[in-house]
Amino acid sequence: MPELLTTDEAAEYLRLSERKLYELVAERAVPCSKVTGRWLFPRTALDRWVSAGLIAPAALAQVAAPPIIGGSHDPLLEWALRESNSGLASLPEGSEEGLRRLTQAEVMVAAIHLHRLDGDDETANLDAVTDAPGLHDAVVLSFARREQGILVAPGNPLGLSDMASIATSRARMAQRPAGAGAQLLLLALLARGGIALDDLKLAKPAFPTGPDIAQAIRAGRIDCGIATRSVAKSAGLDFLPLAWERFDLVMRQRDYFMKGPQALFDFMREAGFRDRATELGGYDVSDTGEVRLVN
């Protein structure tokens, strides 16, 4: 059987009438794509859709997660949530907290960007999901690659360049909550440079998001902090690049096919999404929407 099924092939495969299949398409409840005027149905996606909808015994039934994306904050994601009419709310508290809430069915999706002390970050998100208790049925979808760096005031008045220069100059540096992706990146950079966290002049309390750091720099309350290029550009700050990272969306298989996430995923494939990523700066959306892991 081919990987891409036509409407009549998909109806036969699912043992549904074509009329019922069209109803599911209209409700955006079944995975499909329209190509040159015809609906096509990826067979492997149909298999996951059927598996995700299996009825569990009442004692094992899962509580429906609220339509919220938890985890890390991102300007492009925040914009896409609004423009896609997904109906999904945002609760940015950091990558590890987002994963914790996902395991407890407190959010429907977690946005994550994790970093290892040894610097091997390409599979850090996937490994964290694979190892997380209770996420045996998770899907990891690529949202974008993002450029992280050090935000400083226009003109970089302190002449900062890296973690060592921040430590020696005693620049006032922002920190993020424990478990946030940017804080994990900070700890990894310090470990690679042989610098102790206590060597930095850290501002307190921790800053929840990148835009909070940008505002504090513009107000003169701090000198620098780690955030994305898009945050620096929108705030008119200078940006010292550090690394490109993977920014992924994690959800349970059954929630992958819900209307809210599907509306967001459809929007992520549109030209307007790519144009916005270019406008914000610091994004690579070449593999946006790619399924990186089915746990």
Side-chain angles (χ1 to χ4, degrees), residues 86-122:
S86 66
L88 296 171
S90 177
L91 182 63
E93 299 176 302
S95 296
E96 290 187 350
E97 180 63 9
L99 279 180
R100 186 199 67 77
R101 287 191 180 273
L102 183 63
T103 63
Q104 300 299 314
E106 296 173 358
V107 298
M108 184 175 288
V109 183
I112 64 171
H113 60 114
L114 300 171
H115 295 271
R116 294 192 180 98
L117 292 181
D118 63 8
D120 183 14
D121 294 333
E122 179 64 20

